[in-house]
Amino acid sequence: DGGITQSPKYLFRKEGQNVTLSCEQNLNHDAMYWYRQDPGQGLRLIYYSQIVNDFQKGDIAEGYSVSREKKESFPLTVTSAQKNPTAFYLCASSIGRGGNEQFFGPGTRLTVL
Amino acid sequence: KNQVEQSPQSLIILEGKNCTLQCNYTVSPFSNLRWYKQDTGRGPVSLTIMTFSENTKSNGRYTATLDADTKQSSLHITASQLSDSASYICVVSAASGTYKYIFGTGTRLKVLA
């Protein structure tokens, strides 16, 4: 069953804690992305990766970090430096570079207590 | 500046009625335009893709149009159903070959019985 999965679905974090959001895909896609979605705003790109062991900052990378050690996995860490981390986080993947269809995971809702 | 604007922001219609959602973009150079459907708390799912040479494309009760000259697209939903209640997001890809996907803020559609 091919697809892209995210875990956990809901995540609660205390201020000052780092948390890691998981994203896995078995679509054999080279490119993976992390987006943040806030009410009334379009999806904003946090980080993207076009190949293993390489990733680039998106428009709102401050306070976030990623790794891409395996083609299938692209975890996102929300650090304590992110001032307003409460949001819905979406991971996506695509076959290659821009223009190809992005397939999205089900999302993780992060709430800071 | 590359931008995608959608209208209306929200829309309420009765079940069985038709509706049209609008997307205007200023992305250049243009590669393609996609419409996604996003159910509440879920990841977006692609409905249609429009390339420069395509004017109309249908996917069941969804019909997308593209006017590349005026840089406008529309998504027409015929005979709406309760399950059509969702946010509809217009995404335009730039042809530069990089990761650039420009997201609109979406139209939130509510279909009432």
Side-chain angles (χ1 to χ4, degrees):
Chain A
D1 187 23
I4 180 166
T5 59
Q6 293 183 239
S7 63
K9 186 171 178 65
Y10 299 97
L11 186 57
F12 298 90
R13 189 194 93 172
K14 293 181 180 179
E15 287 193 19
Q17 283 184 335
N18 293 353
V19 291
T20 298
L21 283 59
S22 170
C23 178
E24 303 277 335
Q25 54 97 1
N26 60 5
L27 300 169
N28 200 33
H29 286 171
D30 288 313
M32 297 187 74
Y33 315 79
W34 273 106
Y35 291 94
R36 171 180 171 141
Q37 188 173 37
D38 294 284
Q41 298 193 40
L43 273 67
R44 291 184 290 168
L45 183 67
I46 304 172
Y47 269 98
Y48 70 101
S49 168
Q50 296 193 65
I51 196 169
V52 174
N53 292 323
D54 184 61
F55 48 84
Q56 305 294 329
K57 292 182 179 180
D59 301 316
I60 55 166
E62 185 175 353
Y64 300 97
S65 66
V66 294
S67 63
R68 187 85 186 276
E69 297 177 0
K70 299 187 299 182
K71 187 175 185 178
E72 303 79 19
S73 180
F74 191 40
L76 172 74
T77 296
V78 184
T79 75
S80 56
Q82 170 49 235
K83 299 305 179 187
N84 184 23
T86 295
F88 190 54
Y89 290 86
L90 286 162
C91 180
S93 69
S94 65
I95 290 175
R97 302 180 340 162
N100 295 301
E101 180 180 357
Q102 291 180 305
F103 292 80
F104 286 86
T108 292
R109 184 165 299 280
L110 172 63
T111 302
V112 174
L113 302 175
Chain B
K1 180 181 177 182
N2 287 329
Q3 281 188 315
V4 175
E5 295 184 351
Q6 293 186 243
S7 62
Q9 280 189 322
S10 60
L11 183 61
I12 300 174
I13 62 173
L14 293 176
E15 187 178 17
K17 298 297 186 182
N18 303 336
C19 67
T20 300
L21 314 180
Q22 299 290 341
C23 174
N24 296 340
Y25 61 92
T26 57
V27 177
S28 180
F30 176 86
S31 175
N32 58 58
L33 182 150
R34 283 190 172 85
W35 284 94
Y36 281 85
K37 178 186 179 187
Q38 184 179 22
D39 292 317
T40 301
R42 308 288 293 274
V45 175
S46 179
L47 292 174
T48 66
I49 176 175
M50 305 291 291
T51 58
F52 187 87
S53 59
E54 295 175 308
N55 298 119
T56 304
K57 184 174 286 186
S58 293
N59 177 5
R61 294 180 297 101
Y62 300 102
T63 299
T65 66
L66 175 66
D67 185 334
D69 291 332
T70 62
K71 299 186 177 181
Q72 296 179 327
S73 176
S74 66
L75 181 69
H76 186 76
I77 304 174
T78 303
S80 60
Q81 300 176 358
L82 297 179
S83 60
D84 292 330
S85 295
S87 289
Y88 293 83
I89 302 172
C90 176
V91 185
V92 180
S93 297
S96 60
T98 66
Y99 70 93
K100 275 295 184 183
Y101 297 85
I102 299 95
F103 289 78
T105 55
T107 292
R108 179 166 290 187
L109 174 65
K110 179 73 173 177
V111 180
L112 300 178

